[in-house]
Amino acid sequence: MLNVDFALRSDRTMKALTGLSRSEFQQLCPPFAQALSQQVQSRRRDRQRKPGGGGKYRLDRVEAKLFFILLYVKCYPTFDVASVLYQVHRSRPHRWVQTWLPVLEQALGYEVVLPERRIDQIESFFTRFPYVKDLWLDGTERPIRRPQDTDRKKRHYSGKKKRYTHNNLLLTDADRRVLALSPTQPGARHDYALLKAWDFPQRLPPDVVCWTDRGFQGMKKDYPHLSIIQPKKKPKGGELNAVDRFINTQKSRIRIRVEHAIGGVKRLAAVTQPYRNHRPKMEDQLMLVACGLWNFHLKCTA
């Protein structure tokens, strides 16, 4: 069985297994314990057995529970592999994930590191992020297993990745924090179609600039009141001149921040490897938690 105390001896081991350093792990333990206690209290009110009663629990410490769910998000083992690592039946890790993933999400919420899900209320968005002057917008895809249903195949097939995927939009800032995360959608939907379905605000403060890539062509026309910076698209059948290519290069060097943010989120295998869970909406929850863990890491290292 995996030993948390042994893993806590080394930052290298902790980062490899959980994505967090030892100090970050210890800092996340109190809010996780608080969320875990709240989950226990919200269960059946008519139960006669006290919390903790019953058979001996394999993971009885808060640190062990947090270590397991972080291990799952970071390494994304199958339940058969997790059952061998923890010497239990494979149904036990499945139940642990269903129980403690919402607890981890709530703990990250206590730390105020979860990204916003809706940004149509622009006043509340800039109340939470008052110093943001530049926003970077980009999409990211993650592979899924090949659907058996023909309609699902059409909805999830990404012509860009040439495979079946899920898609999300991320809105980040200059510090690589993920400020907002769109709902998870099938991979056949284009980035700009996702943006329009996300109810992106028609207006932003005049001093806020939104940086995008070529996947958002038409945004300047549909959102004329926004300050948008995009690379210039090559004309059909032609080439960009040297000046336009140089300007595009400079824009890309600035826009690389959003790629760094996406790379930080995708350190976690649960949002990188092909998605294989069956619980409804779990793909969205995993992406939300991954963004929250990346923001938590940035918060701890700031």
Side-chain angles (χ1 to χ4, degrees):
M1 183 172 175
L2 291 180
N3 190 329
V4 180
D5 295 327
F6 180 82
L8 282 170
R9 296 177 184 177
S10 166
D11 270 339
R12 182 186 178 93
T13 304
M14 286 298 295
K15 289 178 181 179
L17 295 177
T18 68
L20 299 180
S21 66
R22 290 177 294 176
S23 61
E24 292 167 358
F25 180 85
Q26 296 292 353
Q27 189 170 335
L28 189 57
C29 279
F32 185 82
Q34 181 183 352
L36 195 64
S37 175
Q38 186 172 348
Q39 183 195 62
V40 172
Q41 294 174 5
S42 64
R43 289 178 179 172
R44 290 176 48 189
R45 301 292 183 180
D46 58 342
R47 64 174 288 170
Q48 298 180 4
R49 182 178 292 166
K50 293 182 179 180
K56 183 179 179 181
Y57 209 63
R58 181 57 64 102
L59 302 180
D60 54 350
R61 296 168 52 197
V62 172
E63 292 83 358
K65 296 174 182 178
L66 177 58
F67 183 84
F68 169 81
I69 194 61
L70 289 175
L71 172 72
Y72 182 79
V73 176
K74 176 63 171 69
C75 301
Y76 202 43
T78 63
F79 296 129
D80 294 286
V81 172
S83 70
V84 174
L85 294 175
Y86 281 89
Q87 302 173 17
V88 294
H89 190 266
R90 61 178 177 272
S91 63
R92 192 75 67 86
H94 176 266
R95 186 161 60 250
W96 290 344
V97 170
Q98 307 302 323
T99 303
W100 296 332
L101 187 61
V103 175
L104 177 59
E105 178 184 346
Q106 187 173 355
L108 294 171
Y110 290 155
E111 290 292 312
V112 198
V113 292
L114 290 177
E116 296 286 340
R117 301 312 307 272
R118 297 186 59 184
I119 54 175
D120 52 342
Q121 301 296 329
I122 198 63
E123 293 81 6
S124 59
F125 179 84
F126 281 99
T127 298
R128 179 176 174 184
F129 308 108
Y131 303 108
V132 172
K133 298 302 179 184
D134 291 274
L135 298 173
W136 281 264
L137 181 66
D138 200 5
T140 183
E141 298 182 67
R142 65 164 301 177
I144 64 173
R145 293 184 297 182
R146 182 176 182 268
Q148 300 299 314
D149 182 71
T150 302
D151 291 336
R152 291 192 71 237
K153 287 181 183 177
K154 293 180 180 178
R155 293 197 307 270
H156 287 85
Y157 186 76
S158 169
K160 178 182 178 181
K161 297 294 183 181
K162 301 296 189 270
R163 65 185 307 177
Y164 302 96
T165 64
H166 286 144
N167 203 350
N168 291 92
L169 293 181
L170 282 76
L171 193 68
T172 68
D173 65 1
D175 297 323
R176 300 171 295 157
R177 293 182 303 166
V178 181
L179 305 182
L181 174 69
S182 76
T184 302
Q185 296 291 336
R189 302 195 70 178
H190 192 269
D191 285 352
Y192 190 41
L194 288 179
L195 179 71
K196 291 188 285 188
W198 195 17
D199 294 328
F200 196 79
Q202 294 286 338
R203 290 180 179 272
L204 292 174
D207 56 342
V208 174
V209 177
C210 186
W211 298 75
T212 68
D213 61 10
R214 295 184 182 92
F216 295 88
Q217 294 295 325
M219 189 175 176
K220 289 185 176 181
K221 178 181 177 181
D222 295 338
Y223 296 85
H225 301 292
L226 300 184
S227 298
I228 301 171
I229 297 180
Q230 288 180 341
K232 188 172 182 179
K233 187 177 181 180
K234 182 178 69 173
K236 187 175 182 179
E239 295 291 339
L240 293 175
N241 58 46
V243 175
D244 289 334
R245 290 199 302 270
F246 174 79
I247 294 175
N248 280 356
T249 300
Q250 301 309 309
K251 291 178 180 178
S252 297
R253 288 177 175 175
I254 298 175
R255 205 192 64 82
I256 197 66
R257 289 177 175 85
V258 67
E259 303 294 348
H260 291 161
I262 292 174
V265 172
K266 288 198 167 184
R267 298 178 308 160
L268 307 179
V271 293
T272 307
Q273 296 180 8
Y275 177 74
R276 57 176 181 266
N277 299 89
H278 297 282
R279 185 180 182 183
K281 305 298 183 182
M282 190 172 175
E283 71 279 5
D284 191 73
Q285 188 176 35
L286 284 172
M287 192 66 184
L288 178 65
V289 168
C291 293
L293 287 172
W294 170 244
N295 288 343
F296 179 74
H297 167 71
L298 294 177
K299 177 182 177 181
C300 293
T301 56

